[in-house]
Amino acid sequence: MGRKLYVGNLPYSANDAILKQKFEEVGTVDSSKVITDRETGRSKGFGFIEMSTDEEAEEAISKFNGSEFDGRPMTVSEAKPMTPNDSRGGGSRGGFGGGGGGGGGRNRY
């Protein structure tokens, strides 16, 4: 079990410090990060916590998964490594226009 946890369904008022304070109830928090929208700076409603030990991470999952935080039931689980297909910021949309429509002199048979 890793020590980095995914924390979902956070209240939009949550920030790094509030998240860290919440998880310090079960142990030492090495880092906390609430993911925010780049343009607005508003929380996206999820974040990551890194606990000091595997035991503390297990305790955090059992204590907080499904528990309410400002009226919202949190989802807490072990963070999964991001794969290249998980990237939401880019993506391959091709390049240089294209699309249908006739072009001069090209047969499509």
Side-chain angles (χ1 to χ4, degrees), residues 47-98:
F48 297 93
I49 284 285
E50 191 166 1
M51 301 301 293
S52 210
T53 67
D54 289 345
E55 292 76 22
E56 290 171 342
E58 293 274 353
E59 187 177 346
I61 290 171
S62 66
K63 179 174 181 169
F64 294 124
N65 188 41
S67 72
E68 285 202 9
F69 186 14
D70 282 352
R72 298 186 68 162
M74 285 190 293
T75 301
V76 182
S77 61
E78 182 178 355
K80 306 283 188 251
M82 196 165 113
T83 63
N85 291 340
D86 288 343
S87 172
R88 301 206 194 271
S92 157
R93 295 198 168 198
F96 303 113

Side-chain angles (χ1 to χ4, degrees), residues 2 4-5 10 14 18 22 27-28 30 33 42 53-54 60 66-67 71 74 76 84 87 89 106:
K4 190 167 190 176
L5 305 177
L10 289 171
I18 290 169
K22 181 78 170 167
T28 304
D30 290 337
K33 180 68 178 161
R42 185 173 180 233
T53 67
D54 289 345
S67 72
M74 285 190 293
V76 182
S87 172
R106 234 195 289 202

